[in-house]
Amino acid sequence: MGVTADHDEMSHGYGDFSARLRAARSQAGLSQEELAERSGLSVRAIGNLERGRIRRPFLDTVNRLADSLGLSATTRADFVVAAGHRPAAPATRADVATGPATVPRQLPAAIPDFTGRSDSLEVLTKRWEDARAAGGTMIISVIDGPPGVGKTALAVVWAHQVAGAFPDGQLYLNLRGFDPSGKMVPPESAVRAFLDALGVPAERIPSRPESQAAQYRSLLADKRMLIVLDNARNAEQVRPLLPGGSGCMVVVTSRVRLAGLAAAEGAGLLTLDVLSAHEAGALLTSRLGPARSAAEPGAVAELARLCGRLPLALSVAAALAMSRPRVPLATVAAELATAGRLSALDTGDPATNVRTVFSWSCRNLDEPAARMFRLLGVHPGPDITVPAAAALMQVPAPHASAALAALAMANLIEELTPHRYTAHDLLHAYAVEQAAELEPAAARSAALHRVLDYYLHTSHDAALLLNPSGEPVNLGAPQPGVTPERISDKEHALAWFDAEHRVLIAAVAAAAEAGFDACAWQLAWALDTFLDWRGFWQEWAATQRIALAAATRLGDLAGQATAGRLLGHSWARLGDYDKSRAQLTESLRLYELLGDQVGQGRIHQTLGWLAERQGRNTDALGHAEQALVLYQATGDKDRLAAALNNVGWCHALLGSYQRSREFTKQALEAYREIGHLPGEANIWDSLGNAEHNLGNLAAAKECYRNALAIVTALGDRYHQAEYLTHLGEVQHTAREQAEARDSWQDALAILEELDHPDAISVRERLTMRA
């Protein structure tokens, strides 16, 4: 019996369809890969169709191929029949009136020298491919990020890459959510614009906005169309423009994070950051030309740094440099650095003026968020937490948190870690300008004073937890509106300093510059133990120089003596012994003038430590004994324990190991009584040295391990290295060569990380005793 065609099929040979497909593809000048990309089919499916391996392709597949090949109506009908389907009925007058008369191609031109963003392009493509493979859902991708970061450029470039897969067209509309006029495109106007673009005659468009939106969704229900909604202000502006058809994709760009679209419509979110250093350099090179860039690679890198790797700023800087082709790029960079970056990046065109573009985002903030943004220009930076922001703005913490969250949603700041925020360099510069323009000088000064007060009181309490023997300073009560953070224990204190020390170092300088000299030297005092433990000795010396100058301006002798003592100690850590001794001697004079015996004892302790490092062991013992006499007179148990340890250590330096052990055991009992862990670690080290030299190697190793356990828990990096070195010496004496080498390697790694000169001697041990 012959084959009888079903009523939905035509009795044409399937081989005829494969031949027609090959011919049409060849005539269109497309490879199988290109046709697959346009149609959304796989390359394997195209190959199977052309070889006749698929007996009856689905009508949707045939229509996709016809759309992608651009077949005329007659050729399309033959193509459909050859695939075994009936051709579509001729369009009626009503169909023409209500259906799209044209295929819209509204995408703006892609930027010709678009640079970087390969990862982001891959994310968008994968999201689209995964959703298409799953089928049945419309795909929405939202690209957000700070102003000037290149959201539109990314969306348009990607849209051009995939446009062939959307044969029914591409719609584009700038929703003007952050326009300088302040007038965004209403959703109903956007829907009407799209109906016009789809070729719907005016007389066929309903009068009511709801009906227009329904007509828009109906038109796109069975289409494969790409819709790019640029510069949206909020989710409410976007929702009426979302088609209902599963074959469509919508790409939205916005300066704010449209989390509502993710929650309700399943949109995928992609937040853009600034370009990488490599991408920023590549963008500048593409604009300036390879020859000019290659001639001054350092200047190109500096321009990228000054622009904060923000694409808009990079483009403006490149344009400014291109307008002066005979001027060296180094000169352009120097002018950008000195003239004020926002002013230097002024093009006169609001669309590309960095300052103006930033202002469009700020106009949409509510007043609490806008004021928080301005006051961030007062904060010394580089980042801020909720408690500090509450003090800055003089509001309760929940209000500060809400304002910061609003700024983060607007992509004006970034949440680095939970409840810690930072701003891009250029946005921070704009915040500084906004504060100067809109906040009175007295208000700016008061805000800075409050946040400095927050840092001072919190760091003071944290410092005393790290070093209970540190002398507290009289701060007075916190200012109104300032609630210091509660630091619970040593671990919390160390973690707080780890998180805040960059801010605190900047705060010391800001306090001195603003004339808050008492805060400047006291805040530097609070940083002392942490910076020493962590090995940040350059920063330690820098903050103490500021502190000494501030205390001198105040005429505060006690402050001068304290800052000078800590400065002298930091210089000794850095190996500048002559400068250290001169500064310590001056501080000793001030303590004697003040009649401060504890201060004098502290100086003698440090002078003794300095003498030891210079090999003047008899001098070291003399200073240790003077400190002991002073502390015995004051009855200070903590200081007395330290002095006993120092005397014992100095006896060891002079070869009196039995005497050394006697003094250090007295010191250990005293430290255990008062619970001073850093002092106890130091005692264990001294005892380890005595036991080692007395030949008690097992006891010596146990002492050093006790010392290491304490300083490791405290996070004291330098003393970890010191005690590891000493442990290695005992292990070497005990002929445990592998263990000794491991200890010295660990010590060397720490000292190299700290960039400390002691690394030289440890390296020599490893070389000589290999």
Side-chain angles (χ1 to χ4, degrees), residues 237 259 315 362 625 704:
Q237 192 185 18
S315 299
C362 290
E625 289 175 338
Y704 287 132

Side-chain angles (χ1 to χ4, degrees), residues 30 62 110 122 277 327 553:
L30 298 174
V62 177
E122 288 178 9
V327 176
R553 285 192 297 271

Side-chain angles (χ1 to χ4, degrees), residues 386-397 400 446-447 449-451 453-454 477-484:
V386 170
L392 182 72
M393 199 170 170
Q394 202 174 13
V395 295
H449 199 183
R450 285 193 303 271
V451 77
D453 208 32
Y454 160 79
Q479 295 181 67
V482 175
T483 303

Side-chain angles (χ1 to χ4, degrees), residues 6 36 62 91 152 155 178 192 242 271 295 329 433 635 658 683 693 733:
D6 183 82
V62 177
T152 298
F178 298 89
R192 176 57 192 262
L242 299 178
T271 299
L329 294 179
E433 289 189 353
Q658 189 66 40
I683 297 297
N693 284 283
T733 303

Side-chain angles (χ1 to χ4, degrees), residues 2 91 110 124-125 151 155 179 205 214 247 294 338 457 562 621 658 678 722:
L124 291 170
T125 299
K151 300 177 292 294
D179 195 73
I205 297 177
T338 57
H457 281 82
T562 298
L621 178 58
Q658 189 66 40
E722 184 178 23

Side-chain angles (χ1 to χ4, degrees), residues 538-769:
Q538 293 288 355
E539 293 86 348
W540 188 17
T543 54
Q544 293 305 328
R545 282 196 296 270
I546 294 172
L548 180 57
T552 301
R553 285 192 297 271
L554 287 170
D556 184 340
L557 294 184
Q560 291 176 59
T562 298
R565 175 175 61 81
L566 299 178
L567 179 58
H569 196 170
S570 67
W571 274 330
R573 286 288 195 208
L574 291 168
D576 196 337
Y577 299 137
D578 291 341
K579 190 182 289 186
S580 173
R581 187 166 55 253
Q583 184 61 63
L584 290 169
T585 301
E586 171 59 19
S587 287
L588 179 60
R589 185 188 68 83
L590 292 174
Y591 280 126
E592 289 171 345
L593 188 63
L594 291 165
D596 185 343
Q597 290 181 307
V598 171
Q600 293 172 53
R602 285 175 175 270
I603 292 290
H604 280 296
Q605 281 181 294
T606 309
L607 283 170
W609 173 76
L610 179 59
E612 176 204 335
R613 297 184 72 80
Q614 293 182 294
R616 298 183 289 109
N617 295 335
T618 301
D619 289 344
L621 178 58
H623 284 297
E625 289 175 338
Q626 288 183 73
L628 180 59
V629 171
L630 287 162
Y631 291 145
Q632 284 172 335
T634 63
D636 187 322
K637 291 184 179 180
D638 195 347
R639 297 293 159 212
L640 184 59
L644 286 166
N645 178 50
N646 287 343
V647 171
W649 178 257
C650 291
H651 277 297
L653 293 175
L654 295 169
S656 300
Y657 301 115
Q658 189 66 40
R659 191 127 174 86
S660 171
R661 183 164 61 177
E662 292 171 4
F663 275 99
T664 49
K665 283 189 173 181
Q666 291 179 54
L668 180 60
E669 291 175 7
Y671 269 133
R672 282 179 165 175
E673 182 181 342
I674 60 178
H676 186 271
L677 287 175
E680 185 180 336
N682 202 20
I683 297 297
W684 282 118
D685 178 61
S686 299
L687 273 175
N689 177 67
E691 298 291 3
H692 183 189
N693 284 283
L694 288 169
N696 304 321
L697 301 186
K701 285 187 285 185
E702 185 66 21
C703 288
Y704 287 132
R705 290 191 178 109
N706 289 340
L708 275 167
I710 293 171
V711 295
T712 300
L714 292 174
D716 185 344
R717 302 279 287 155
Y718 173 73
H719 284 105
Q720 277 182 263
E722 184 178 23
Y723 300 161
L724 280 165
T725 304
H726 298 164
L727 176 60
E729 290 292 338
V730 181
Q731 291 166 330
H732 178 74
T733 303
R735 300 181 185 276
E736 298 169 351
Q737 305 304 335
E739 291 84 350
R741 188 170 186 81
D742 288 344
S743 295
W744 289 332
Q745 287 282 14
D746 290 344
L748 180 61
I750 294 172
L751 292 169
E752 286 181 336
E753 183 183 330
L754 297 177
D755 194 26
H756 193 273
D758 285 0
I760 297 172
S761 63
V762 177
R763 197 177 294 113
E764 288 174 352
R765 281 181 171 84
L766 283 164
T767 302
M768 295 172 61
R769 304 181 186 182

